[in-house]
Amino acid sequence: MNTLHVNADFEQRVVVNAPDPASWVASPQPGVRRHLLDRVGGEVARATSIVRYDAGSSFARHTHGGGEEFLVLEGTFSDEDGDYPEGSYVRNPPGTSHAPSSRDGCTLFVKLWQFTAGDNVPVRIATRESAWSPGLVPGLSVMPLHEFDGVSTALVRWAPNTRFNAHTHPGGEEILVLQGRFRDEHGEYPVGTWLRNPRWSRHTPFTGAEGALIYVKVGLFGAALLQPAASAA
Ligand SMILES: [Fe+2]
Ligand SMILES: [Fe+2]
């Protein structure tokens, strides 16, 4: 098994554009393609990807040795437990298994092997039907998704022309732009952009006329993540 490294230096800031026809790579399963965001390892890998299931495709039954987190970006993902429509946020803890498929096709944001020890509670959140809370500044709304061991994941909605305070991320920050256009003093990030800001990075984010909806995770790069066994392949 070849080891594949993509954006594997977590001290580096990374910005990856939305998937385009050239950025998709085949998976071991016909009809399932990946747009790699970061990846360390072979077929068993610590990986963050956008995964596209063509209509009628399925993926082999597998066990999540290090846990699986995903957000359904479009379409409906299914496994033997049920259907997960657009907006579903799911965490399958280490040791769980399933046989996924998609009848009509779907696109997911997926993170594998990014759990810490003891994070064993399955999560199922229908974000399209869940409540928002006011954020720290006017124009900001927050939907917490998960928090464990200093790692926090949320959806954050930015009204047009919202400006947040300058802040530092001791444990780094990861953002996927779900709607609109997110901005900070380092750049502009249209819908579909993924960015990874390293530990102790600092920025002052804001939005323009479009506003934005983002998935954001902080603290991950300071966390003691479960390690894939060296012999796993
Ligand atoms: Fe899975
Ligand atoms: Fe930030």
Side-chain angles (χ1 to χ4, degrees), residues 94 114-120 148-149 224-227:
Q114 297 174 50
F115 281 56
T116 58
D119 185 0
N120 295 322
F148 193 88
D149 233 0
L225 300 178
L226 296 174
Q227 296 293 326

Side-chain angles (χ1 to χ4, degrees), residues 167 169 173 203:
H167 61 276
H169 296 291
E173 175 188 55
H203 67 160

